[in-house]
Amino acid sequence: MAGSEQPPAAGGGPDGGAAPGAAEGLGERPLSQGLSVLVGLALCVTMLGLGCAVELGQLGRQLRRPVGVLLALLGQFVAMPLVAFLLALVFALDEVAAVAVLLCGCCPGGNLSNLMSVLVDGDMTLSIIMTASSTLLALLLMPLCLWLYSRPWIHTALVRLLPLGAVSLTLGSTLLPIGLGVLIRYRYPRAADLLVKVSLWSLLVTLVILFILTGTMLGPDLLAHIPASVYAIAVLMPLTGYALGYGLATLFRMPPHCRRTVSLETGCQNVQLCTAILKLTFPPQLVGGMYMFPLLYALFQAAEAGLFVLAYKVYGRDGPKQEMLGEEEDTDISYRKLKEEEVPDTSYGTVTTEEFGAAPTEPAQTAL
């Protein structure tokens, strides 16, 4: 367990998650610069793919009925930061680990949720709007959440050096690729579809490369020096986010496919952005092994989401289809019955009219 009684030195210690000499390894210029370039490119590709997935017409409809924006606000900047804060307190993390966990919890939604929403037959429009809106809201709300929830560790050197301005600058730099992606979607839809697929696949490839490179830079004993509490949080945090997202959508009385979408959007964080902020704004000797937390989070959030997709494919996929089929059959039967009832009524009315016209003739003949 990582304790807060004895904060680690700048180089990292047992509770800080960095092996001796890990900070120096992380600060080596060739690998460090190469990793910074890779992180920056991965973030640009991710944001470009996100912009390519946004259609202006859908965006306009969602803004007129901003349920998706409201859910993104509540899920990404109310529920997840609070979950990260409470887990950091419960597991008594030191300031280094706490900042890494808080930073990941305050990040907007990631592209992994869009991919998983497709696999569970979710609402893709809602998924994309939630991801895009949470990314835009992060410009203001992410620094605010970091400032608010870092209060218990405010007397530590790392939190005093928390670069909220650099965080805002990194977030602002994501607007350019997002805007470019929206423009590509508007002018070249086919190219936009291709870029969306490229960004989704690059997500997996980038995370694998980052994990390997970071492990190489920090040494073979990296995993042993990361506290068990950090592993526990990396497992519990996305799981709690999925559950809270589903409960939030249920509270809004959304249909099942939208509940699955909101669940995935809430639990899946933009780990590329979290990694970029840790890498580009914090000195390596301060962050140490906690640079690995967003990668651990990405690993467990993908594994847990994969289990949910598997459970849906096995147990939940046929249920909604059968219900929809039953509704269609009932509607068709009711329509046929209505048509059958309408025909006799019409013919009956016609006969009555003829009889009504013939009725006066018979009494006239009798009188004669």
PDB file of all heavy atoms in Angstrom, residues 6-30:
ATOM      1  N   GLN A   6       5.025   9.357   4.525  1.00  0.00           N
ATOM      2  CA  GLN A   6       6.387   9.684   4.151  1.00  0.00           C
ATOM      3  C   GLN A   6       6.452   9.914   2.647  1.00  0.00           C
ATOM      4  O   GLN A   6       6.625   8.981   1.875  1.00  0.00           O
ATOM      5  CB  GLN A   6       7.358   8.543   4.533  1.00  0.00           C
ATOM      6  CG  GLN A   6       7.420   8.299   6.032  1.00  0.00           C
ATOM      7  CD  GLN A   6       8.340   7.149   6.369  1.00  0.00           C
ATOM      8  OE1 GLN A   6       8.809   6.449   5.487  1.00  0.00           O
ATOM      9  NE2 GLN A   6       8.603   6.965   7.645  1.00  0.00           N
ATOM     10  N   PRO A   7       6.239  11.158   2.227  1.00  0.00           N
ATOM     11  CA  PRO A   7       6.246  11.438   0.793  1.00  0.00           C
ATOM     12  C   PRO A   7       7.592  11.117   0.186  1.00  0.00           C
ATOM     13  O   PRO A   7       8.639  11.328   0.804  1.00  0.00           O
ATOM     14  CB  PRO A   7       5.961  12.958   0.727  1.00  0.00           C
ATOM     15  CG  PRO A   7       5.324  13.284   2.043  1.00  0.00           C
ATOM     16  CD  PRO A   7       5.938  12.355   3.031  1.00  0.00           C
ATOM     17  N   PRO A   8       7.617  10.579  -1.022  1.00  0.00           N
ATOM     18  CA  PRO A   8       8.870  10.209  -1.651  1.00  0.00           C
ATOM     19  C   PRO A   8       9.653  11.416  -2.068  1.00  0.00           C
ATOM     20  O   PRO A   8       9.135  12.499  -2.274  1.00  0.00           O
ATOM     21  CB  PRO A   8       8.429   9.404  -2.883  1.00  0.00           C
ATOM     22  CG  PRO A   8       7.078   9.920  -3.182  1.00  0.00           C
ATOM     23  CD  PRO A   8       6.464  10.313  -1.895  1.00  0.00           C
ATOM     24  N   ALA A   9      10.931  11.215  -2.200  1.00  0.00           N
ATOM     25  CA  ALA A   9      11.776  12.291  -2.703  1.00  0.00           C
ATOM     26  C   ALA A   9      11.537  12.477  -4.179  1.00  0.00           C
ATOM     27  O   ALA A   9      10.803  11.748  -4.815  1.00  0.00           O
ATOM     28  CB  ALA A   9      13.238  11.965  -2.422  1.00  0.00           C
ATOM     29  N   ALA A  10      12.234  13.455  -4.720  1.00  0.00           N
ATOM     30  CA  ALA A  10      11.999  13.783  -6.128  1.00  0.00           C
ATOM     31  C   ALA A  10      12.324  12.640  -7.038  1.00  0.00           C
ATOM     32  O   ALA A  10      11.731  12.469  -8.080  1.00  0.00           O
ATOM     33  CB  ALA A  10      12.833  15.010  -6.512  1.00  0.00           C
ATOM     34  N   GLY A  11      13.259  11.807  -6.655  1.00  0.00           N
ATOM     35  CA  GLY A  11      13.641  10.703  -7.525  1.00  0.00           C
ATOM     36  C   GLY A  11      12.710   9.534  -7.459  1.00  0.00           C
ATOM     37  O   GLY A  11      12.817   8.607  -8.231  1.00  0.00           O
ATOM     38  N   GLY A  12      11.755   9.528  -6.497  1.00  0.00           N
ATOM     39  CA  GLY A  12      10.813   8.422  -6.381  1.00  0.00           C
ATOM     40  C   GLY A  12      11.313   7.406  -5.407  1.00  0.00           C
ATOM     41  O   GLY A  12      12.496   7.228  -5.193  1.00  0.00           O
ATOM     42  N   GLY A  13      10.423   6.708  -4.754  1.00  0.00           N
ATOM     43  CA  GLY A  13      10.771   5.693  -3.784  1.00  0.00           C
ATOM     44  C   GLY A  13       9.846   4.531  -3.889  1.00  0.00           C
ATOM     45  O   GLY A  13       9.131   4.380  -4.860  1.00  0.00           O
ATOM     46  N   PRO A  14       9.783   3.679  -2.883  1.00  0.00           N
ATOM     47  CA  PRO A  14       8.906   2.534  -2.939  1.00  0.00           C
ATOM     48  C   PRO A  14       7.461   2.919  -3.115  1.00  0.00           C
ATOM     49  O   PRO A  14       6.723   2.284  -3.832  1.00  0.00           O
ATOM     50  CB  PRO A  14       9.165   1.839  -1.592  1.00  0.00           C
ATOM     51  CG  PRO A  14      10.530   2.288  -1.178  1.00  0.00           C
ATOM     52  CD  PRO A  14      10.691   3.641  -1.697  1.00  0.00           C
ATOM     53  N   ASP A  15       7.010   3.986  -2.406  1.00  0.00           N
ATOM     54  CA  ASP A  15       5.632   4.388  -2.552  1.00  0.00           C
ATOM     55  C   ASP A  15       5.407   5.209  -3.814  1.00  0.00           C
ATOM     56  O   ASP A  15       4.291   5.298  -4.300  1.00  0.00           O
ATOM     57  CB  ASP A  15       5.186   5.222  -1.329  1.00  0.00           C
ATOM     58  CG  ASP A  15       5.093   4.362  -0.071  1.00  0.00           C
ATOM     59  OD1 ASP A  15       4.955   3.154  -0.247  1.00  0.00           O
ATOM     60  OD2 ASP A  15       5.173   4.903   1.050  1.00  0.00           O
ATOM     61  N   GLY A  16       6.418   5.832  -4.285  1.00  0.00           N
ATOM     62  CA  GLY A  16       6.251   6.643  -5.489  1.00  0.00           C
ATOM     63  C   GLY A  16       6.202   5.836  -6.740  1.00  0.00           C
ATOM     64  O   GLY A  16       5.833   6.319  -7.778  1.00  0.00           O
ATOM     65  N   GLY A  17       6.580   4.577  -6.696  1.00  0.00           N
ATOM     66  CA  GLY A  17       6.459   3.699  -7.844  1.00  0.00           C
ATOM     67  C   GLY A  17       7.619   3.765  -8.791  1.00  0.00           C
ATOM     68  O   GLY A  17       7.557   3.217  -9.875  1.00  0.00           O
ATOM     69  N   ALA A  18       8.702   4.398  -8.466  1.00  0.00           N
ATOM     70  CA  ALA A  18       9.832   4.485  -9.386  1.00  0.00           C
ATOM     71  C   ALA A  18      11.018   3.753  -8.797  1.00  0.00           C
ATOM     72  O   ALA A  18      11.359   3.910  -7.643  1.00  0.00           O
ATOM     73  CB  ALA A  18      10.186   5.947  -9.640  1.00  0.00           C
ATOM     74  N   ALA A  19      11.634   2.943  -9.579  1.00  0.00           N
ATOM     75  CA  ALA A  19      12.823   2.233  -9.140  1.00  0.00           C
ATOM     76  C   ALA A  19      13.986   3.193  -9.072  1.00  0.00           C
ATOM     77  O   ALA A  19      13.992   4.230  -9.722  1.00  0.00           O
ATOM     78  CB  ALA A  19      13.127   1.095 -10.120  1.00  0.00           C
ATOM     79  N   PRO A  20      15.007   2.887  -8.284  1.00  0.00           N
ATOM     80  CA  PRO A  20      16.180   3.741  -8.260  1.00  0.00           C
ATOM     81  C   PRO A  20      16.775   3.849  -9.656  1.00  0.00           C
ATOM     82  O   PRO A  20      17.026   2.876 -10.338  1.00  0.00           O
ATOM     83  CB  PRO A  20      17.120   3.011  -7.293  1.00  0.00           C
ATOM     84  CG  PRO A  20      16.211   2.197  -6.434  1.00  0.00           C
ATOM     85  CD  PRO A  20      15.094   1.788  -7.300  1.00  0.00           C
ATOM     86  N   GLY A  21      17.007   5.060 -10.065  1.00  0.00           N
ATOM     87  CA  GLY A  21      17.546   5.290 -11.400  1.00  0.00           C
ATOM     88  C   GLY A  21      16.491   5.322 -12.481  1.00  0.00           C
ATOM     89  O   GLY A  21      16.808   5.541 -13.635  1.00  0.00           O
ATOM     90  N   ALA A  22      15.203   5.088 -12.091  1.00  0.00           N
ATOM     91  CA  ALA A  22      14.155   5.099 -13.107  1.00  0.00           C
ATOM     92  C   ALA A  22      13.970   6.481 -13.687  1.00  0.00           C
ATOM     93  O   ALA A  22      13.745   6.652 -14.886  1.00  0.00           O
ATOM     94  CB  ALA A  22      12.837   4.601 -12.508  1.00  0.00           C
ATOM     95  N   ALA A  23      14.049   7.492 -12.813  1.00  0.00           N
ATOM     96  CA  ALA A  23      13.876   8.858 -13.308  1.00  0.00           C
ATOM     97  C   ALA A  23      14.978   9.231 -14.285  1.00  0.00           C
ATOM     98  O   ALA A  23      14.747   9.902 -15.293  1.00  0.00           O
ATOM     99  CB  ALA A  23      13.874   9.835 -12.124  1.00  0.00           C
ATOM    100  N   GLU A  24      16.217   8.787 -13.965  1.00  0.00           N
ATOM    101  CA  GLU A  24      17.292   9.083 -14.893  1.00  0.00           C
ATOM    102  C   GLU A  24      17.064   8.398 -16.226  1.00  0.00           C
ATOM    103  O   GLU A  24      17.317   8.956 -17.298  1.00  0.00           O
ATOM    104  CB  GLU A  24      18.637   8.630 -14.295  1.00  0.00           C
ATOM    105  CG  GLU A  24      19.098   9.471 -13.108  1.00  0.00           C
ATOM    106  CD  GLU A  24      18.405   9.106 -11.806  1.00  0.00           C
ATOM    107  OE1 GLU A  24      17.546   8.217 -11.842  1.00  0.00           O
ATOM    108  OE2 GLU A  24      18.707   9.707 -10.769  1.00  0.00           O
ATOM    109  N   GLY A  25      16.566   7.131 -16.184  1.00  0.00           N
ATOM    110  CA  GLY A  25      16.299   6.414 -17.424  1.00  0.00           C
ATOM    111  C   GLY A  25      15.210   7.083 -18.231  1.00  0.00           C
ATOM    112  O   GLY A  25      15.262   7.158 -19.448  1.00  0.00           O
ATOM    113  N   LEU A  26      14.193   7.583 -17.488  1.00  0.00           N
ATOM    114  CA  LEU A  26      13.100   8.249 -18.173  1.00  0.00           C
ATOM    115  C   LEU A  26      13.530   9.572 -18.779  1.00  0.00           C
ATOM    116  O   LEU A  26      12.962  10.051 -19.746  1.00  0.00           O
ATOM    117  CB  LEU A  26      11.944   8.481 -17.189  1.00  0.00           C
ATOM    118  CG  LEU A  26      10.616   8.978 -17.776  1.00  0.00           C
ATOM    119  CD1 LEU A  26      10.092   7.967 -18.773  1.00  0.00           C
ATOM    120  CD2 LEU A  26       9.611   9.227 -16.670  1.00  0.00           C
ATOM    121  N   GLY A  27      14.583  10.159 -18.199  1.00  0.00           N
ATOM    122  CA  GLY A  27      15.026  11.447 -18.698  1.00  0.00           C
ATOM    123  C   GLY A  27      16.091  11.367 -19.763  1.00  0.00           C
ATOM    124  O   GLY A  27      16.606  12.402 -20.190  1.00  0.00           O
ATOM    125  N   GLU A  28      16.492  10.171 -20.176  1.00  0.00           N
ATOM    126  CA  GLU A  28      17.501  10.051 -21.234  1.00  0.00           C
ATOM    127  C   GLU A  28      16.991  10.723 -22.505  1.00  0.00           C
ATOM    128  O   GLU A  28      15.888  10.476 -22.947  1.00  0.00           O
ATOM    129  CB  GLU A  28      17.801   8.570 -21.492  1.00  0.00           C
ATOM    130  CG  GLU A  28      18.557   7.909 -20.346  1.00  0.00           C
ATOM    131  CD  GLU A  28      18.759   6.429 -20.598  1.00  0.00           C
ATOM    132  OE1 GLU A  28      18.303   5.966 -21.662  1.00  0.00           O
ATOM    133  OE2 GLU A  28      19.339   5.751 -19.761  1.00  0.00           O
ATOM    134  N   ARG A  29      17.809  11.543 -23.112  1.00  0.00           N
ATOM    135  CA  ARG A  29      17.339  12.402 -24.181  1.00  0.00           C
ATOM    136  C   ARG A  29      16.834  11.663 -25.413  1.00  0.00           C
ATOM    137  O   ARG A  29      15.755  11.963 -25.895  1.00  0.00           O
ATOM    138  CB  ARG A  29      18.443  13.394 -24.556  1.00  0.00           C
ATOM    139  CG  ARG A  29      18.766  14.394 -23.450  1.00  0.00           C
ATOM    140  CD  ARG A  29      19.650  15.500 -23.975  1.00  0.00           C
ATOM    141  NE  ARG A  29      19.008  16.233 -25.051  1.00  0.00           N
ATOM    142  CZ  ARG A  29      18.165  17.240 -24.856  1.00  0.00           C
ATOM    143  NH1 ARG A  29      17.826  17.580 -23.638  1.00  0.00           N
ATOM    144  NH2 ARG A  29      17.650  17.874 -25.876  1.00  0.00           N
ATOM    145  N   PRO A  30      17.552  10.686 -25.991  1.00  0.00           N
ATOM    146  CA  PRO A  30      17.047  10.079 -27.225  1.00  0.00           C
ATOM    147  C   PRO A  30      15.690   9.403 -27.041  1.00  0.00           C
ATOM    148  O   PRO A  30      14.748   9.679 -27.790  1.00  0.00           O
ATOM    149  CB  PRO A  30      18.140   9.062 -27.587  1.00  0.00           C
ATOM    150  CG  PRO A  30      19.367   9.551 -26.884  1.00  0.00           C
ATOM    151  CD  PRO A  30      18.880  10.159 -25.623  1.00  0.00           C
TER     152      PRO A  30
END
